[in-house]
Amino acid sequence: MKIDLQQYRKILNVFLESKTPHVKLSDFDYLDSSEKSIKDDFLFHFQLIIDNGMIGNRNVETAYTLKDVGIEHDLNGNVYLNIMPLRLTQIGHDFASSLNSNEVFKQLKENFSDEPFKVILDTGQELLKHYAKKKLDCILEL
């Protein structure tokens, strides 16, 4: 399955748009139409978010497995959820900020979507700095 920056953005925006510091799995649109399994595209991207250390728990412990975020599968593929508070780590916030900026998101999607995660993360941060510098230059010209 290919990485879809729009799916990353959708998942991470749940955290950014939350009125509280923590979200729960129930805040996401993740169940397939049968309500018995998790949508493949959600699971794939959520696993990558975990792989990259972007989610932690209330105790500021980074999640490393699906079980750490409350998702378990049995041998038959049935999903069991343990609803627990989840938070974005600092790297998660940095990546979410990149994707939340329309200018940065457009550039990443058009020019860097096939690059490795580290390249996308670093490029997003550099683009944010670039756009911030342009804004600062405009402010200083006044």
Side-chain angles (χ1 to χ4, degrees):
M1 183 173 277
K2 283 188 82 168
I3 291 173
D4 178 358
L5 291 177
Q6 183 64 43
Q7 183 66 15
Y8 267 139
R9 188 181 202 190
K10 181 179 174 184
I11 292 170
L12 295 173
N13 275 343
V14 170
F15 290 94
L16 293 181
E17 294 172 4
S18 175
K19 296 197 184 327
T20 63
H22 301 94
V23 301
K24 297 178 282 234
L25 286 173
S26 56
D27 295 327
F28 297 94
D29 174 27
Y30 61 88
L31 291 176
D32 72 8
S33 59
S34 71
E35 300 278 321
K36 294 181 182 175
S37 65
I38 295 176
K39 293 178 184 175
D40 287 338
D41 61 338
F42 173 85
L43 184 60
F44 174 72
H45 288 87
F46 208 70
Q47 287 170 318
L48 290 172
I49 288 169
I50 293 168
D51 285 345
N52 288 291
M54 290 190 256
I55 297 178
N57 64 23
R58 183 177 284 179
N59 296 324
V60 194
E61 299 165 329
T62 301
Y64 295 105
T65 68
L66 284 174
K67 188 174 182 179
D68 291 342
V69 297
I71 301 173
E72 294 187 62
H73 293 90
D74 68 15
L75 296 175
N76 295 321
N78 297 314
V79 176
Y80 298 93
L81 303 176
N82 178 14
I83 304 301
M84 59 182 62
L86 304 173
R87 58 177 283 279
L88 281 182
T89 62
Q90 185 61 57
I91 191 171
H93 269 285
D94 291 348
F95 189 52
S97 294
S98 295
L99 297 182
N100 199 43
S101 164
N102 288 330
E103 299 95 352
V104 173
F105 181 75
K106 180 180 179 200
Q107 291 299 321
L108 290 174
K109 191 170 181 179
E110 289 177 4
N111 300 302
F112 299 95
S113 62
D114 291 332
E115 299 296 331
F117 174 77
K118 179 94 170 98
V119 172
I120 294 170
L121 175 67
D122 291 347
T123 302
Q125 294 304 292
E126 288 301 316
L127 285 167
L128 277 177
K129 288 179 197 175
H130 173 73
Y131 291 123
K133 184 178 180 331
K134 284 176 70 173
K135 287 180 186 176
L136 179 61
D137 289 344
C138 287
I139 292 169
L140 293 176
E141 287 178 2
L142 297 175

